[in-house]
Amino acid sequence: SELVQQEFPSLESLTNLTTLGIQKKDFAFVRASAERLRKLDADSEIALEGLGSAAFAEDEYAEAEKYYERLVELHPANYDYWLNLGVARHRLGRFDTAVECYEKASQIRPEGSSAYVNLGLLYQQTGQVARAASAFEQARMIAPEREDIRYHTAVALEGNGEAEKAATIYETLLQTNKDMVEAWFRLGAIRLKS
């Protein structure tokens, strides 16, 4: 903190301090060091990333959007920046542009499941259950071990009228996690209907 307050901190020291703040998730510290860093280098990647992360931590999605927009301009092939821009826009209710960001992220890193998960959640939120199911299936193929993806896939399939497929996924989930109450509930509801 003293180093951030020095009258003439170096670019390197501010970059290192901002990086450390991000790693420690000390976003007040990140803001202080990143704002000083931007005075020396307005397009500092670590400063923009730090300020975007701090804005997310404070639920300031319009501010986060601004920083991630700049980051994708400067680094158009960065998966995480496109993903974070998509999340900011999703949280702001800008669904069409969020979809574009998630799709861009999935083009950059086809093996990245997070872009597909976020697409699935967005489609689920907007009532596009077939698209949600497709996005979650894509994520499940990439990361079959992730319980959250399997659960969201089953919910989307269930919403798309594919209850038996969903039930199979719930049963598989419950074999590895018997404490997953939501899966028990949804599986029970499917079995009661059949």
Side-chain angles (χ1 to χ4, degrees), residues 27-139:
F27 294 111
F29 185 83
V30 168
R31 274 198 186 279
S33 60
E35 286 169 1
R36 294 282 310 268
L37 181 54
R38 284 199 77 201
K39 288 178 183 173
L40 299 175
D41 179 3
D43 286 332
S44 162
E45 182 177 5
I46 196 66
L48 292 167
E49 184 179 353
L51 291 167
S53 297
F56 264 124
E58 297 161 357
D59 297 330
E60 296 291 340
Y61 303 116
E63 184 183 354
E65 178 185 37
K66 175 180 74 169
Y67 294 120
Y68 285 106
E69 280 175 344
R70 185 66 183 138
L71 282 164
V72 299
E73 285 174 22
L74 297 169
H75 307 280
N78 187 297
Y79 172 85
D80 293 317
Y81 298 157
W82 280 105
L83 186 65
N84 288 339
L85 180 58
V87 171
R89 289 178 172 173
H90 186 166
R91 300 239 172 107
L92 290 167
R94 298 184 184 134
F95 300 129
D96 290 343
T97 58
V99 166
E100 291 169 10
C101 293
Y102 295 149
E103 288 176 346
K104 180 68 175 175
S106 69
Q107 291 167 5
I108 292 168
R109 189 185 305 160
E111 74 285 359
S113 61
S114 294
Y116 296 108
V117 169
N118 285 318
L119 265 173
L121 292 170
L122 185 148
Y123 287 140
Q124 215 166 32
Q125 183 179 355
T126 57
Q128 300 176 64
V129 291
R131 284 184 169 182
S134 175
F136 287 130
E137 283 283 5
Q138 192 86 24

